[in-house]
Amino acid sequence: MIHLNDCIRHIPTVGTAEAAERALRHEFSILGSAPVENRYGMTAPGFEGCNYSDPTVTYEGAVRTLPAWHGDKFERCRALLMRYAPDYRPIDWAIDLKSGARLEMKPATELKFGVTDGVDVKTSADLSRCYHFLPLAKAYRDSGNMAYRNEIVAQTLDWLMLHPYGWGAGWRANMNVAIRCVNWLAAYALIRDSFDAEADGEFLALLEQSLTEHRRYISSHLEFTEEPTALHPNHYVANLCGLLCVSAALSGDPESTGWEKLALREMRVTLDWQILPDGCDFEEATMYHGLVLEMACVSLLMTARMKGCRTAADMRAWLSDNLGENLCGKLYRMFVVLRDFTFPDGTLPVVGDADSGRMLELENNIYAPAQRLFLNALGAALFEDAALLTPWNTAADFAYPAALMDGVESAAYTAPASLASAAYPDGGFYILRGTDHALMALCMPIGTAGRGAHTHNDRLSFILNVRGNAVVTDPGVYTYTANRFYRNMLRDSTAHATVTVGDEQPNRLNPPGCFWGYHDDTQCRLIDFARTEDGGRFVGEHYAYRRLETPLTHRRTIETGTGRICVRDEFLADGEIPYAAVFTFPLAPGVQVSAAGNTAQITAGDVRVTAEAEGGAWEIASGIASPEYGMKLEIPLLRLTLPRTPASHTVTFTWR
């Protein structure tokens, strides 16, 4: 028996009605797609010159591709759909809303990615995560309008009709299956009181059957391997989170207890492995740090609620019993890291890969790209510690933890007035802060236990914010497998605020041409980190260019203070270095820049920054940045090319 108890609480939040109305219209904006109405035969906007839209595609045609063995379940679902929503218009779950391409109806394990230019298989997978069910459920709770509730039921039936077990876009990548489970459980928990055991018994039995199938699929397709090809360990975390939640919800099933125990045991092992001693996620990507933290905490707290826990104290006691104090301490440190990573505009610098993934959009996803202020509030509420907040948190951020725990009151927490400089030597992130600036310097290992899955060629680069304005940025991620050119362009060292020597990328792809994975050629090492009264000092070096015919070591020193930073690069070699050196500083979207000789003038909001180079002449090139997956914004690249790599070179940024 499925237990649709209050695994989450209903908290009215801004944007619910608008998000629910979009879901009623089947209007979706997914991974950078423009808001578009999903329907069979639709014309997609296209992606980078590729458009595979087919106006002849029909629902009836899609049904004819279903395997014969699915026929009985299809008819059962169709009869129920006509009862709950006779005027329902089907969703095309197989379409990429950007390119218009449709995934074939075949076993999900046979669906390929990266084989057709412009096609992003993540788009259809994200649609099937069903993030939009939650605003529909919340709108029902706010209004009592059964149209919202019936739309959830109808879309569930529609999804089941077009997804035979293990077949189709919605079963591709077990992570997506797990996240869908959590979103279904949360949405149905909010609308559970609308169901009558007798009148809705057939549908509820079908829902229980489907969730049982989801549990079986997750448990039999766990994305874990000890082989070097294991590039996405955050997928395994998601698998365990979904398995834990669905097993707890199906607690009447004799198999549930065993799967629940296994999920908790494996979470203890894999989280302890993936969370470094200083609290950084081992993938060395800031947005995946946030995603792993959100997935783990949401699933654990939802499960604790299903076990009867309600308050933060109840939750901590349950976590201690089931995870142990050591892992609870690591989760706490992850929240500390998240706080220290947050910049004065409320965002996380997008270091490494980022696919805009979430577990539950309890706050209706009202935040700007790369903002995770709701997670800061979740940490503060769970550990009852205001020190985990940032100066940029507001009362609205507490809607997220209030949906998971009783008794959360934002008034009980006073955010700190400022944050201090911080060093994370295990993760390799170094944050220098002053009264008018925040800077993050990168000097980290390759990540993912040496596989470099979600890292970029960004070693010794930095991100700079001055008085709340983004100045020097990280380009982020535009796409993974839909366009190899842009995938590689935004991972390139010439897209980051670092130095490229001899037209050689510091870390080599592993294997060559792959979408994910790097050798750890840089072998970064911290030389010095010091805090000062209004800033600090960072010194780090890497050894990637020791492999050149004329070997050299790149050492970078960054010193910050009120109104200035100084970036000094040293190239340590025996004798003259015959290679060209390219110094790049990607400027944030919206920043204006002009250059004359070795002086550049940068305007970021109300801040005027002057960049003075010790030698050479500035050039302004065109680049792109992606604050969230699928979003492409033009940015200026401030660049300096020297025909010979000097022994040392200094760039000074001053502002007023």
Side-chain angles (χ1 to χ4, degrees):
M1 176 181 179
I2 184 171
H3 297 282
L4 294 176
N5 57 17
D6 61 341
C7 57
I8 67 167
R9 302 173 65 232
H10 174 57
I11 302 296
T13 48
V14 174
T16 293
E18 295 83 355
E21 288 300 317
R22 289 193 296 272
L24 279 178
R25 296 192 299 268
H26 301 177
E27 182 180 293
F28 305 108
S29 179
I30 296 177
L31 298 178
S33 74
V36 60
E37 183 182 341
N38 177 298
R39 65 184 185 280
Y40 284 89
M42 63 178 284
T43 300
F47 182 78
E48 295 300 332
C50 299
N51 197 317
Y52 304 98
S53 300
D54 184 353
T56 68
V57 171
T58 64
Y59 173 71
E60 292 74 18
V63 170
R64 286 194 293 271
T65 67
L66 297 170
W69 53 262
H70 182 61
D72 289 346
K73 186 173 184 180
F74 178 90
E75 292 300 333
R76 182 183 173 195
C77 290
R78 181 159 64 177
L80 285 170
L81 180 57
M82 292 301 99
R83 183 194 309 173
Y84 284 98
D87 298 324
Y88 177 82
R89 177 174 54 78
I91 290 172
D92 187 351
W93 299 97
I95 195 168
D96 170 8
L97 291 173
K98 292 186 281 189
S99 73
R102 301 184 73 254
L103 292 188
E104 296 177 76
M105 178 53 63
K106 59 168 56 175
T109 53
E110 297 179 11
L111 295 172
K112 306 301 181 183
F113 58 82
V115 295
T116 305
D117 197 36
V119 178
D120 196 338
V121 296
K122 285 180 59 63
T123 309
S124 56
D126 264 48
L127 177 60
S128 277
R129 289 181 177 185
C130 298
Y131 292 129
H132 59 283
F133 275 23
L134 203 50
L136 285 167
K138 292 165 72 175
Y140 164 74
R141 288 292 295 268
D142 285 340
S143 67
N145 186 343
M146 288 291 284
Y148 297 119
R149 177 267 216 178
N150 288 342
E151 182 67 20
I152 296 173
V153 174
Q155 288 196 27
T156 303
L157 291 166
D158 182 18
W159 192 93
L160 292 174
M161 291 163 69
L162 271 296
H163 284 90
Y165 177 77
W167 283 48
W171 293 103
R172 194 200 69 79
N174 204 23
M175 178 184 203
N176 302 310
V177 181
I179 292 176
R180 175 169 61 254
C181 268
V182 174
N183 277 271
W184 280 14
L185 289 171
Y188 278 101
L190 290 184
I191 64 174
R192 68 189 185 281
D193 292 340
S194 70
F195 292 106
D196 178 81
E198 183 175 343
D200 300 298
E202 186 176 0
F203 171 74
L204 292 175
L206 188 65
L207 178 64
E208 180 178 353
Q209 176 190 345
S210 178
L211 288 170
T212 302
E213 289 176 343
H214 275 65
R215 187 192 63 193
R216 185 168 82 241
Y217 191 88
I218 294 170
S219 62
S220 60
H221 293 81
L222 294 172
E223 295 171 283
F224 171 79
T225 174
E226 294 179 341
E227 298 300 318
T229 54
L231 293 173
H232 309 294
N234 62 77
H235 283 221
Y236 187 54
V237 174
N239 299 167
L240 298 174
C241 292
L243 183 59
L244 175 64
C245 284
V246 73
S247 298
L250 295 168
S251 57
D253 184 330
E255 295 184 18
S256 291
T257 300
W259 286 119
E260 188 179 325
K261 287 182 178 179
L262 180 139
L264 279 169
R265 185 195 71 194
E266 284 298 296
M267 286 184 77
R268 288 194 294 270
V269 173
T270 199
L271 288 175
D272 187 51
W273 177 51
Q274 294 192 32
I275 305 170
L276 300 174
D278 61 8
C280 292
D281 179 74
F282 83 148
E283 291 185 285
E284 305 295 350
T286 52
M287 300 311 294
Y288 280 113
H289 178 103
L291 177 60
V292 168
L293 183 58
E294 180 187 358
M295 291 192 300
C297 287
V298 165
S299 61
L300 288 165
L301 297 187
M302 285 177 63
T303 301
R305 287 193 70 87
M306 287 188 257
K307 303 299 181 185
C309 299
R310 292 295 177 266
T311 67
D314 294 337
M315 300 290 183
R316 291 196 304 276
W318 186 88
L319 290 172
S320 179
D321 289 343
N322 287 276
L323 298 183
E325 286 300 320
N326 176 63
L327 188 50
C328 288
K330 280 194 166 186
L331 288 174
Y332 179 88
R333 289 193 290 279
M334 284 193 87
F335 282 112
V336 174
V337 171
L338 187 79
R339 176 201 66 194
D340 287 342
F341 280 6
T342 305
F343 267 30
D345 55 3
T347 67
L348 297 179
V350 185
V351 174
D353 278 350
D355 68 357
S356 300
R358 294 288 307 279
M359 178 58 99
L360 274 182
E361 295 179 355
L362 292 168
E363 78 303 334
N364 295 330
N365 200 15
I366 60 173
Y367 291 90
Q371 282 191 332
R372 293 296 181 266
L373 295 170
F374 59 90
L375 281 181
N376 301 118
L378 176 61
L382 173 60
F383 290 99
E384 296 184 289
D385 186 353
L388 294 175
L389 294 173
T390 75
W392 310 285
N393 277 107
T394 67
D397 302 326
F398 283 88
Y400 196 97
L404 294 165
M405 293 174 283
D406 294 2
V408 174
E409 298 290 343
S410 62
Y413 299 92
T414 301
S418 62
L419 297 179
S421 297
Y424 291 97
D426 298 315
F429 297 87
Y430 299 90
I431 301 95
L432 300 174
R433 295 186 188 270
T435 55
D436 63 355
H437 67 276
L439 181 145
M440 176 183 281
L442 308 179
C443 187
M444 69 268 277
I446 202 66
T448 321
R451 300 180 182 103
H454 287 298
T455 194
H456 293 179
N457 261 314
D458 54 11
R459 275 34 180 189
L460 303 187
S461 71
F462 67 91
I463 301 97
L464 173 66
N465 184 290
V466 176
R467 295 205 295 264
N469 298 284
V471 180
V472 178
T473 192
D474 187 286
V477 176
Y478 178 38
T479 187
Y480 282 162
T481 63
N483 187 291
R484 192 177 293 273
F485 171 78
Y486 282 114
R487 173 60 171 151
N488 290 332
M489 175 182 175
L490 270 70
R491 292 190 289 177
D492 198 287
S493 59
T494 58
H496 296 83
T498 189
V499 185
T500 305
V501 175
D503 200 28
E504 284 279 336
Q505 290 297 294
N507 290 315
R508 295 164 294 167
L509 289 172
N510 180 27
C514 63
F515 288 110
W516 297 277
Y518 278 103
H519 289 285
D520 192 2
D521 295 312
T522 44
Q523 295 285 317
C524 287
R525 185 168 74 97
L526 177 71
I527 305 300
D528 185 39
F529 179 82
R531 301 169 179 85
T532 61
E533 185 175 342
D534 197 30
R537 183 172 187 261
F538 158 84
V539 186
E541 63 186 28
H542 79 68
Y543 308 101
Y545 294 131
R546 302 296 297 173
R547 71 175 186 266
L548 299 180
E549 186 175 347
T550 300
L552 62 97
T553 296
H554 178 199
R555 177 178 294 173
R556 170 166 278 186
T557 300
I558 302 175
E559 295 180 311
T560 79
T562 302
R564 70 187 297 273
I565 72 166
C566 179
V567 181
R568 179 175 176 79
D569 291 295
E570 297 174 83
F571 303 94
L572 311 177
D574 294 330
E576 184 177 346
I577 303 171
Y579 313 114
V582 178
F583 300 73
T584 302
F585 300 95
L587 303 180
V591 168
Q592 303 296 315
V593 61
S594 61
N598 68 337
T599 301
Q601 301 295 334
I602 302 166
T603 302
D606 62 352
V607 175
R608 305 293 181 267
V609 180
T610 299
E612 294 274 358
E614 179 182 359
W618 289 116
E619 303 168 326
I620 302 172
S622 178
I624 67 168
S626 184
E628 64 178 337
Y629 187 96
M631 177 185 291
K632 184 176 72 171
L633 302 177
E634 290 189 10
I635 62 168
L637 301 175
L638 188 60
R639 184 168 283 163
L640 190 74
T641 301
L642 301 179
R644 289 289 185 271
T645 300
S648 67
H649 187 274
T650 301
V651 176
T652 303
F653 296 84
T654 57
W655 55 84
R656 52 183 172 81

